[in-house]
């Protein structure tokens, strides 16, 4: 039944024109009553220091539904553009974080010295709104970048999305749903543009929430982050136990939308994962990459496991690894 439902949903998506507005997510109320994106005091999230960046636009609104829907734009000190764009989506288990958090956004800030503009996005967290609100938001942010590209000296045809952990899930969703208008939600801004991008950098993003347990066990983890429990971050994001309605949970899985992707217009993917990640099993990225390669071809998908690396560990932000990421981005956004 699960496979039949997913096939039906895929056919449903494929049959719709981009101009239609249909809500295939009636199961849950999208906004939590009394909820907010306010951070808990004990989280103590460090922020990036942007005082040395001269050209920036902070807390720019890209949506009208929530005060959370803002983004920060940073431009290189030199040049008038239009600059290729790296859209940064922060992580935080879908429940915490913001567009200036050091652990998630810090590694990407070096993009400015390489001639890229950075657009770092806030989206509604699970304390404020349920899936698919966060996906609605990041897609709206991509459309905003395209609609306002001349104003901010951005190149609307050279856009990459880069994120880690929950942000990895978000950028993967951007990558696979660029033409899926059913995930626009109530964000009505700039609908004349699609949310397609040219490249995706996915750092250890979760895909199939239902497979966490079996994948960790297969890797020999005796203690692991189980997603299949009522109080998991993934269940809180979905709005119910992830195993309660598995077909609905799979709608938050970027793999679900791969069948409707077009190889010619699909972005290039660069996927990295640590082999000792105790938060998101490495098999999530391996399987996602395999599914993408089957549909898009091996030339559009690169997957690299980092031996011994953990979740957001220093190996990812090392100079050596960032050079690999930028070599990938340069080849696509700076031909």
């Amino acid at each position: 039944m699960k496979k039949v439902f997913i096939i039906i949903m895929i056919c449903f998506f494929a049959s719709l024109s981009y101009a239609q507005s249909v809500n295939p997510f009636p199961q849950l109320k999208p906004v939590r009553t009394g909820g907010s994106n306010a951070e808990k005091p004990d989280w103590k999230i460090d922020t990036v220091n942007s005082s040395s960046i001269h050209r920036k636009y902070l807390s720019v609104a890209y949506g009208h539904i929530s005060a959370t829907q803002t983004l920060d734009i940073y431009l290189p000190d030199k040049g008038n553009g239009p600059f290729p764009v790296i859209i940064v989506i922060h992580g935080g288990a879908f429940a915490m974080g913001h567009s200036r958090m050091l652990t998630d956004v810090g590694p990407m800030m070096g993009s400015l010295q390489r001639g890229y503009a950075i657009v770092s996005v806030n989206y509604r967290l699970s304390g404020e709104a349920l899936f698919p609100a966060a996906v609605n938001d990041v897609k709206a942010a991509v459309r905003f970048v395209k609609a306002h590209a001349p104003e901010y000296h951005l190149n609307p045809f050279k856009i990459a999305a880069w994120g880690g952990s929950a942000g990895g899930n978000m950028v993967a969703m951007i990558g696979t749903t660029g033409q899926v208008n059913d995930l626009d939600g109530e964000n009505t801004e700039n609908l004349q543009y699609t949310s397609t991008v040219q490249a995706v950098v996915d750092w250890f993003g979760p895909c199939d929430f239902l497979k966490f347990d079996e994948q960790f066990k297969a890797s020999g983890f005796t203690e692991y982050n189980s997603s299949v429990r009522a109080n998991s971050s993934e269940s809180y994001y979905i709005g119910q136990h992830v195993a309660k309605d598995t077909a609905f949970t799979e709608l938050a899985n970027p793999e679900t939308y791969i069948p409707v992707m077009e190889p010619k217009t699909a972005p290039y993917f660069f996927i990295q994962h640590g082999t000792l990640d105790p938060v998101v099993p490495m098999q999530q990225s391996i399987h996602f990459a395999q599914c993408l390669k089957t549909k898009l071809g091996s030339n559009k998908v690169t997957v690299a496991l980092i031996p011994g690396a953990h979740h957001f560990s220093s190996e990812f932000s090392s100079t050596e690894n960032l050079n690999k990421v930028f070599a990938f981005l340069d080849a696509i956004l700076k031909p």
Side-chain angles (χ1 to χ4, degrees):
M1 288 297 295
K2 171 182 172 183
K3 291 183 178 179
V4 171
F5 180 88
I6 292 175
I7 291 172
I8 291 173
M9 289 300 298
I10 289 171
C11 293
F12 178 66
F13 287 147
S15 68
L16 296 173
S17 68
Y18 193 76
Q20 288 178 300
S21 178
V22 178
N23 177 20
F25 305 97
Q27 296 96 326
L28 303 170
K29 294 181 180 180
V31 178
R32 293 186 188 274
T33 302
S36 74
N37 268 13
E39 295 174 11
K40 296 179 180 179
D42 58 336
W43 281 344
K44 298 179 181 178
I45 300 174
D46 292 328
T47 59
V48 295
N49 182 357
S50 63
S51 60
S52 63
I53 301 174
H54 302 296
R55 296 196 288 181
K56 57 192 174 188
Y57 307 86
L58 304 180
S59 300
V60 179
Y62 65 83
H64 70 282
I65 298 173
S66 167
T68 303
Q69 295 174 323
T70 65
L71 50 79
D72 303 321
I73 301 172
Y74 304 94
L75 302 180
D77 286 340
K78 298 180 180 179
N80 295 316
F83 300 104
V85 183
I86 295 177
I87 295 179
V88 178
I89 311 296
H90 70 82
F94 305 103
M96 59 181 287
H98 52 72
S99 63
R100 301 171 201 171
M101 64 189 299
L102 183 61
T103 54
D104 291 48
V105 183
M108 292 75 162
M109 295 301 285
S111 308
L112 296 171
Q113 283 70 52
R114 297 173 180 262
Y116 291 93
I118 299 173
V119 177
S120 188
V121 180
N122 285 306
Y123 53 90
R124 284 173 289 172
L125 303 176
S126 56
E128 178 180 1
L130 305 174
F131 169 82
V135 180
N136 300 160
D137 289 354
V138 296
K139 287 169 69 69
V142 176
R143 298 197 305 271
F144 176 91
V145 167
K146 293 182 178 181
H148 296 270
E151 180 181 352
Y152 296 106
H153 308 283
L154 307 175
N155 189 333
F157 307 107
K158 300 290 184 180
I159 301 175
W162 185 354
S165 195
N169 173 276
M170 292 289 128
V171 299
M173 289 291 286
I174 290 173
T176 59
T177 70
Q179 300 286 352
V180 180
N181 64 305
D182 303 273
L183 285 167
D184 292 337
E186 296 180 353
N187 292 305
T188 57
E189 294 84 2
N190 308 306
L191 288 177
Q192 67 271 36
Y193 298 91
T194 69
S195 59
T196 55
V197 297
Q198 285 65 56
V200 170
V201 179
D202 171 8
W203 277 358
F204 40 85
C207 293
D208 192 341
F209 302 159
L210 299 168
K211 296 285 182 63
F212 271 45
D213 293 39
E214 64 183 76
Q215 290 172 343
F216 274 132
K217 289 178 180 178
S219 298
F221 279 76
T222 56
E223 295 182 9
Y224 51 86
N225 174 43
S226 172
S227 69
V228 187
R229 51 187 170 82
N231 64 340
S232 71
S233 298
E234 294 78 17
S235 291
Y236 195 66
Y237 172 59
I238 293 296
Q240 60 190 10
H241 194 303
V242 294
K244 180 179 180 180
D245 182 349
T246 57
F248 180 72
T249 297
E250 289 290 12
L251 295 176
N253 180 353
E255 295 175 358
T256 298
Y257 307 91
I258 292 176
V260 299
M261 297 177 72
E262 293 292 338
K264 289 184 179 180
T265 57
Y268 289 81
F269 288 81
F270 188 73
I271 303 167
Q272 290 190 303
H273 212 119
T275 59
L276 295 182
D277 191 326
V279 180
V280 178
M282 64 179 178
Q283 294 95 324
Q284 296 273 305
S285 289
I286 294 172
H287 190 263
F288 181 43
Q290 289 173 340
C291 293
L292 287 169
K293 287 181 178 180
T294 299
K295 177 66 176 182
L296 307 180
S298 298
N299 66 311
K300 280 215 162 183
V301 185
T302 301
V303 59
L305 299 180
I306 302 181
H310 291 237
H311 203 69
F312 267 119
S313 56
S314 60
E315 290 90 342
F316 291 93
S317 57
S318 69
T319 300
E320 178 184 2
N321 192 60
L322 289 177
N323 284 339
K324 294 178 182 178
V325 175
F326 284 112
F328 163 78
L329 292 173
D330 289 349
I332 298 164
L333 303 184
K334 295 182 178 181

